């Protein structure tokens, strides 16, 4: 892998935490004011790649107390992650295999099992397949999407490899998640089909419980930093 491609690799939660720690140090040292800190802090947790994270701290020195510099090397997942995925891949299990929306909509979310092959058909309608908490009936599942003046959105959790093979005619197939390596033992999702005057989107999101936890942590961190700032001003 060449250096030019490294900034395009996906960042992990640990990478974002390292950048957030550098921002906290910069705020404490007076290098950032509160408004700048808030803007960069929010951008840190929205960042998806190493390149985006590097821009956030490009004008800040890494202090001696800051965590180790941002690493552009992707480390293999731990055995615990593999075990978690093995529990969610239920080979041979009977899962949901289709969703149809005609001038309406369908959704699959929460705890459910997606079959080895899932067919989605949307005619002037829409569908959503949320795989963040789903089980998989096979290590590789294929979602075949056929839309006419409609759309389907597929949500995958971090660690799942995605490949898109679809065609959009006066529409589009989202392939932004292609090429992102999956975790060892994680399922692979293939999205294929045809979008005619419609669209198929693929996006990667944290599980909802994890999203809520991180939002709560960010709110608490902002509250604590603002309180510390006020106390320092009062002492001055």
């Amino acid at each position: 892998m060449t250096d030019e491609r490294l900034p395009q690799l996906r960042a992990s939660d640990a990478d974002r935490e390292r950048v957030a720690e550098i921002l906290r140090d910069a705020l404490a040292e007076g290098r950032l004011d509160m408004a700048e800190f808030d803007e960069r802090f929010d951008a840190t947790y929205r960042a998806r790649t190493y390149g985006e994270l590097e821009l956030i701290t490009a004008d800040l020195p890494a202090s001696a107390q800051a965590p180790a510099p941002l690493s552009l090397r992707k480390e293999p997942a731990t055995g615990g992650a593999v075990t978690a995925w093995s529990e969610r891949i239920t080979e041979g299990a009977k899962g949901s295999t289709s969703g149809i929306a005609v001038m309406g909509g369908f959704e699959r979310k929460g705890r459910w099992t997606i079959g080895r092959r899932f067919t989605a058909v949307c005619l002037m309608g829409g569908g959503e397949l949320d795989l963040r908490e789903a089980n998989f009936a096979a290590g590789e599942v294929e979602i075949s999407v056929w839309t006419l003046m409609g759309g389907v959105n597929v949500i995958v959790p971090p660690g799942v490899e995605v490949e898109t093979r679809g065609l959009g005619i006066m529409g589009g197939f989202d392939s932004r998640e292609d090429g992102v390596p999956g975790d060892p033992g994680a399922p692979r999702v293939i999205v294929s089909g045809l979008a005619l005057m419609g669209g198929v989107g693929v996006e990667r999101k944290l599980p909802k419980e994890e999203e809520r936890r991180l939002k709560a942590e960010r709110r608490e961190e902002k509250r604590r930093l603002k309180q510390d700032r006020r106390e320092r001003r009062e002492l001055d």
Side-chain angles (χ1 to χ4, degrees):
M1 183 176 293
T2 63
D3 291 342
E4 288 77 8
R5 292 182 58 190
L6 288 174
Q8 300 175 13
L9 289 178
R10 295 290 172 139
S12 68
D13 289 339
D15 296 320
R16 296 183 187 91
E17 284 298 327
R18 284 195 286 271
V19 171
E21 187 64 28
I22 293 174
L23 295 178
R24 294 184 191 105
D25 289 342
L27 177 65
E29 294 166 358
R31 300 181 190 276
L32 297 176
D33 60 29
M34 199 65 209
E36 291 172 321
F37 172 82
D38 286 344
E39 181 180 356
R40 297 193 191 197
F41 194 78
D42 289 340
T44 296
Y45 287 95
R46 291 196 305 268
R48 303 175 73 181
T49 66
Y50 286 124
E52 292 172 355
L53 288 177
E54 287 179 327
L55 290 175
I56 293 170
T57 57
D59 60 346
L60 297 175
S63 68
Q65 290 75 31
L70 191 67
S71 171
L72 296 184
R73 296 179 62 86
K74 294 295 285 183
E75 300 297 336
T78 62
V82 176
T83 301
W85 282 121
S86 68
E87 293 173 354
R88 293 179 59 181
I89 299 176
T90 54
E91 293 283 352
K94 184 178 180 181
S96 179
T97 58
S98 65
I100 300 174
V102 179
M103 300 181 68
F106 73 85
E107 64 179 10
R108 303 286 187 275
K109 63 181 181 179
R111 294 289 184 182
W112 66 291
T113 299
I114 183 170
R116 182 184 296 271
R117 295 185 181 278
F118 186 98
T119 301
V121 179
C122 292
L123 175 61
M124 292 186 288
E128 180 175 272
L129 300 175
D130 190 339
L131 303 178
R132 288 178 291 178
E133 299 178 23
N135 291 328
F136 298 78
E140 180 176 285
V141 301
E142 181 172 358
I143 301 172
S144 182
V145 182
W146 305 92
T147 70
L148 173 61
M149 299 177 67
V152 172
N153 191 43
V154 180
I155 303 173
V156 299
V160 171
E161 182 183 356
V162 177
E163 179 183 349
T164 54
R165 301 176 180 173
L167 173 65
I169 300 177
M170 298 179 67
F173 249 85
D174 188 352
S175 60
R176 288 176 295 177
E177 297 298 336
D178 277 17
V180 179
D183 290 344
R188 184 167 183 261
V189 176
I190 299 171
V191 184
S192 62
L194 174 67
L196 178 59
M197 293 186 288
V200 177
V202 180
E203 58 182 328
R204 195 178 302 273
K205 290 184 177 181
L206 290 171
K208 291 183 178 180
E209 183 177 342
E210 183 69 7
E211 284 185 339
R212 288 192 291 266
R213 183 186 67 80
L214 289 174
K215 286 180 180 178
E217 287 182 356
R218 290 199 291 271
R219 285 195 299 267
E220 177 59 24
E221 181 69 16
K222 285 184 178 181
R223 186 201 64 77
R224 185 182 65 81
L225 288 169
K226 288 179 180 179
Q227 180 65 28
D228 290 346
R229 194 76 167 180
R230 283 195 296 268
E231 291 176 356
R232 284 197 295 270
R233 286 174 179 171
E234 291 173 359
L235 291 174
D236 293 341

